[in-house]
Amino acid sequence: MKEELDNFYLSRKEPQKSTLLALRSIILAYDEQLSETMKYGMPCFLYKKNIFCYLWTDRKTDAPYILMTEGNYLTHPELEQGSRARMKILRIDPDKDIPVETIREVFREAIELYRKGTVKLK
């Protein structure tokens, strides 16, 4: 699994590679209960063994984004629903500074869903 994850990041071109690696570090450092695995060919981050978010890139622009699995419960104005029924995304511009505080705000809101029981832990 580690090799598959490493290959995902290292196979990307710059500036996406650096952005994705930085996002990986930001996500894993946010909470000690977050861990990383691979699902559907993309990095998947788990909160207490429950799917929390994914890292992926836009098909057209190749720009990275964080896909929040419980997005329908999240209200942060930077999140985009698009045509997704359940999930929302937070786009990250690889040519700009990563919006670390925005990511923290989204994660704070998302983890609170689990802590309050709005989203049930398995």
Side-chain angles (χ1 to χ4, degrees), residues 56-80:
W56 198 237
T57 55
D58 186 274
R59 285 184 213 151
K60 294 177 186 172
T61 65
D62 207 32
Y65 61 83
I66 301 172
L67 178 77
M68 301 300 299
T69 55
E70 299 300 338
N72 56 337
Y73 293 105
L74 302 174
T75 60
H76 195 283
E78 294 295 316
L79 291 171
E80 299 175 27

Side-chain angles (χ1 to χ4, degrees), residues 50-112:
N50 292 269
I51 297 174
F52 182 73
C53 69
Y54 293 91
L55 275 183
W56 198 237
T57 55
D58 186 274
R59 285 184 213 151
K60 294 177 186 172
T61 65
D62 207 32
Y65 61 83
I66 301 172
L67 178 77
M68 301 300 299
T69 55
E70 299 300 338
N72 56 337
Y73 293 105
L74 302 174
T75 60
H76 195 283
E78 294 295 316
L79 291 171
E80 299 175 27
Q81 180 90 41
S83 61
R84 298 167 196 83
R86 175 179 168 204
M87 302 179 188
K88 290 183 181 177
I89 66 169
L90 178 63
R91 292 184 188 277
I92 308 295
D93 186 336
D95 296 317
K96 294 183 179 176
D97 289 342
I98 294 174
V100 176
E101 190 51 41
T102 300
I103 294 169
R104 288 182 182 146
E105 290 168 2
V106 170
F107 283 13
R108 197 173 306 123
E109 185 181 355
I111 286 177
E112 199 60 27

Side-chain angles (χ1 to χ4, degrees), residues 1 4-9 11-12 20 24 27 35-46 51-59 64-69 84 87-89:
M1 182 67 63
E4 189 178 4
L5 281 164
D6 289 342
N7 286 340
F8 172 84
Y9 294 104
S11 67
R12 304 296 171 173
L20 288 165
R24 176 191 210 183
I27 293 168
S35 60
E36 183 182 32
T37 189
M38 196 79 157
K39 290 193 183 284
Y40 312 110
M42 63 181 112
C44 175
F45 296 86
L46 308 173
I51 297 174
F52 182 73
C53 69
Y54 293 91
L55 275 183
W56 198 237
T57 55
D58 186 274
R59 285 184 213 151
Y65 61 83
I66 301 172
L67 178 77
M68 301 300 299
T69 55
R84 298 167 196 83
M87 302 179 188
K88 290 183 181 177
I89 66 169

Side-chain angles (χ1 to χ4, degrees), residues 105-121:
E105 290 168 2
V106 170
F107 283 13
R108 197 173 306 123
E109 185 181 355
I111 286 177
E112 199 60 27
L113 295 172
Y114 293 99
R115 290 185 179 148
K116 287 184 175 179
T118 304
V119 175
K120 303 292 183 214
L121 293 170

